[in-house]
Amino acid sequence: MIKIVAEKVRDEAKNVRTIFFRWDQEVRAGQFIMVWLPGLGEIPMSLSYIGTPKAITVKAYGSVSQALVDMQPGQEFYIRGPYGNGFQIDPGRKLLIGGGSGMASLLPIADSETDAIISAKTKDELIFTDRFPENRIFIATDDGSAGFHGFPHELLDKLDVSVYRKIYVCGPEPMLYRVMQKLSDLNASAEFSLERTMKCGIGICDSCSVGGLQVCKQGPVFTIEQLRGNPEFGISRTTYSGKRVFLNMK
Ligand SMILES: Cc1cc2nc3c(=O)[nH]c(=O)nc-3n(C[C@H](O)[C@H](O)[C@H](O)COP(=O)(O)OP(=O)(O)OC[C@H]3O[C@@H](n4cnc5c(N)ncnc54)[C@H](O)[C@@H]3O)c2cc1C
Ligand code: FES
């Protein structure tokens, strides 16, 4: 475990905060760390900034993520990692498709050749829209409060995806599943970063497994070919207590 001190925080949206910190460690875009708050628990987090300083961008869901969102400069937390494979970044024009806090793992890929679909349930939950020039960003909200009224896979119908060398996707699994189906129909080259229940983060407990693939070790990034036909992707997952539950695809 490495002790980290929060250097600076920035609010990205309601209940979403970026925590900047110093960590002299090389990290690839798409890799993740396990963040431990003593007395509360340990959760996986992508790095939203991988240079100096580094950062995590956290959306509050439960006790650990809420405590991170409440964190102030000078407060301490513990990390281990980096873990996972990260994205395979090819030169050329790229499209990022991020849903909610999923944009955090995609942000380190962004360069001058990158367009982004940024989506959220509603306008107030959109993050990182200020990190892309206006002509490179497409916004989608479930309720139509900003940008396109609908889901990212529906917005894809309005774009010519053949101009992109590769498409990188991260967000809730129902969104990933629908985008995967759409991009398969379009024969696009794509990588997806998955978020599953994680305990060990290093390939021992199998709580992150999706149809025989361990997200912490073999992922969290998978190619479209690896996910197509996977018997659990977009269908079911294991909870923290080990129970199998079915995903709400609404
Ligand atoms: C590889 C990886 C990278 C991740 N990167 C990020 C990141 O960069 N930023 C970030 O904010 N989160 C990220 N997550 C998700 C994050 O780990 C979870 O939000 C966190 O584990 C929640 O823990 P908790 O103790 O706060 O909430 P819990 O008490 O575990 O959960 C509270 C409730 O929220 C639900 N919930 C938990 N997580 C999610 C979720 N992601 N989506 C919808 N509902 C959820 C639970 O089912 C439960 O009902 C990542 C997950 C993985 C596997
Ligand atoms: S989190 Fe334990 S095997 Fe992946």
Side-chain angles (χ1 to χ4, degrees):
M1 280 286 172
I2 303 154
K3 190 198 271 189
I4 294 289
V5 180
E7 186 177 89
K8 192 176 87 174
V9 297
R10 179 161 62 205
D11 290 327
E12 307 289 355
K14 190 167 171 260
N15 287 327
V16 184
R17 178 168 283 187
T18 297
I19 303 167
F20 293 90
F21 55 93
R22 302 271 157 180
W23 182 29
D24 187 14
Q25 167 72 45
E26 203 172 305
V27 178
R28 291 193 302 276
Q31 285 192 296
F32 69 95
I33 53 175
M34 297 298 288
V35 179
W36 177 53
L37 295 180
L40 284 177
E42 190 185 42
I43 59 172
M45 279 286 137
S46 305
L47 276 296
S48 52
Y49 289 79
I50 58 174
T52 306
K54 294 185 171 52
I56 52 173
T57 299
V58 190
K59 181 176 171 107
Y61 282 108
S63 50
V64 183
S65 52
Q66 182 65 60
L68 287 169
V69 166
D70 293 339
M71 187 156 279
Q72 298 298 330
Q75 284 186 282
E76 292 170 352
F77 56 102
Y78 294 81
I79 64 171
R80 58 188 174 95
Y83 296 132
N85 53 358
F87 293 104
Q88 175 67 48
I89 300 176
D90 296 335
R93 207 160 158 198
K94 308 169 202 46
L95 176 67
L96 312 181
I97 306 179
S101 57
M103 266 312 289
S105 77
L106 299 173
L107 194 63
I109 302 174
D111 62 17
S112 59
E113 293 187 296
T114 311
D115 294 350
I117 293 180
I118 300 184
S119 67
K121 286 194 186 112
T122 187
K123 185 181 175 190
D124 295 344
E125 296 183 11
L126 290 164
I127 61 170
F128 299 148
T129 51
D130 58 345
R131 314 293 148 85
F132 296 85
E134 237 172 73
N135 60 342
R136 290 204 167 273
I137 190 170
F138 308 94
I139 288 173
T141 50
D142 300 1
D143 65 0
S145 51
F148 174 77
H149 185 176
F151 300 109
H153 69 282
E154 296 167 327
L155 177 54
L156 279 172
D157 284 333
K158 307 203 174 300
L159 306 185
D160 176 10
V161 298
S162 68
V163 301
Y164 300 109
R165 172 88 183 269
K166 202 186 254 183
I167 300 173
Y168 301 87
V169 196
C170 187
E173 199 160 309
M175 173 210 132
L176 297 187
Y177 184 75
R178 292 198 177 96
V179 170
M180 187 271 289
Q181 286 179 313
K182 176 70 68 181
L183 294 180
S184 284
D185 293 345
L186 297 169
N187 211 14
S189 172
E191 291 188 1
F192 296 75
S193 181
L194 268 57
E195 292 186 2
R196 287 249 154 176
T197 306
M198 281 188 189
K199 292 183 187 173
C200 71
I202 52 171
I204 296 170
C205 69
D206 213 35
S207 59
C208 63
S209 177
V210 50
L213 298 173
Q214 283 188 332
V215 174
C216 67
K217 267 232 126 155
Q218 291 159 282
V221 178
F222 296 98
T223 63
I224 194 165
E225 291 80 14
Q226 284 177 297
L227 295 178
R228 201 182 290 134
N230 183 294
E232 287 171 14
F233 175 60
I235 295 169
S236 66
R237 68 178 181 91
T238 309
T239 64
Y240 204 76
S241 64
K243 191 177 162 202
R244 180 150 296 279
V245 292
F246 289 86
L247 301 181
N248 180 0
M249 292 300 288
K250 276 184 204 149

